[in-house]
Amino acid sequence: MSSPADRSTARPDRRTLIADTAIGLVAAAGLRGLTHRAVDAAAGLPAGSTSYYLRTRTALIGACYQRLAELDVEDIDRTSLTAGGADGRGGVPDREAVAAAMAAALHRWLTEGRARQLARFELSLEAARNPELEADFHRAGEVPRAKAAEVLAALGAPRPREAAELLVAWMDGLLYDRLAGALARSRPEPDPAELADASRRMLDAALA
């Protein structure tokens, strides 16, 4: 099974390979498909490798949370949605450029990153049911919110942390609706222009 995160020719370390493979299994078969043995087989690892690094199912899911947060931030950085300026050169970010970067990230997550986002939603429900996963899930969720708060602060938001929480929630809501909502299967392919308009509206509301 190919990794949902593989975008380079570099060979991932074993923990990363395990987490990427686990995310792919959850995307394909839900949590019922996530076992240590299944990860070993899908990753082409010797039997027992996953349990050596991540002994329990809780630890395995926690590693998925951490990896999902890393990948989301990589996507955000790839679209230049950074606190150092939307142009990536350290200047003050431009609101229109930030909205365009948001739209680009959303488009990526609705297309080539679709499976990863479905896995993220599936895994988030597990954290709601299992108190042992709460800390790992919370730490992972802090990463994109902190990144968004930096950008919003640079754009002049008076309460960037509160604004970031709203912005991330709205983006998550849009992703869920388009990927798993009641009308998801009947919707047309993601439209970059529509996503750009939605991103401007979300950003304007977060900064209002």
Side-chain angles (χ1 to χ4, degrees):
M1 176 177 294
S2 62
S3 161
D6 243 355
R7 302 196 188 98
S8 70
T9 57
R11 183 181 179 86
D13 63 69
R14 188 156 289 190
R15 280 182 175 270
T16 300
L17 174 61
I18 288 169
D20 285 345
T21 303
I23 292 165
L25 287 169
V26 173
L31 282 166
R32 67 180 180 278
L34 183 62
T35 66
H36 288 73
R37 183 178 296 178
V39 174
D40 288 340
L45 295 173
S49 297
T50 299
S51 60
Y52 174 80
Y53 288 96
L54 301 161
R55 186 162 296 278
T56 66
R57 181 179 172 84
T58 297
L60 179 57
I61 294 175
C64 290
Y65 293 149
Q66 179 181 343
R67 182 62 175 153
L68 285 166
E70 291 172 358
L71 292 169
D72 281 350
V73 169
E74 285 180 15
D75 282 342
I76 292 168
D77 287 341
R78 184 174 292 103
T79 53
S80 300
L81 185 55
T82 61
D87 60 4
R89 294 192 292 270
V92 176
D94 173 79
R95 184 182 292 205
E96 184 62 25
V98 171
M102 286 170 54
L106 286 167
H107 189 268
R108 177 183 288 275
W109 294 334
L110 288 169
T111 54
E112 64 186 88
R114 178 180 184 276
R116 172 157 50 95
Q117 296 305 314
L118 287 172
R120 184 168 66 86
F121 288 127
E122 185 100 30
L123 288 160
S124 69
L125 292 174
E126 187 67 11
R129 302 184 189 104
N130 185 350
E132 293 182 23
L133 291 167
E134 186 175 349
D136 286 336
F137 187 56
H138 178 79
R139 278 192 296 271
E142 282 291 310
V143 177
R145 286 164 177 78
K147 180 74 81 172
E150 290 175 7
V151 176
L152 292 169
L155 286 171
R159 294 188 294 278
R161 176 65 195 194
E162 293 178 26
E165 290 185 359
L166 284 172
L167 187 59
V168 171
W170 290 332
M171 292 179 73
D172 266 354
L174 186 150
L175 286 169
Y176 185 88
D177 178 67
R178 302 300 170 86
L179 293 173
L183 303 181
R185 290 187 179 276
S186 62
R187 288 186 181 278
E189 291 295 311
D191 178 9
E194 180 194 2
L195 292 173
D197 181 61
S199 295
R200 289 188 203 98
R201 295 184 183 192
M202 289 189 287
L203 185 59
D204 287 347
L207 291 168

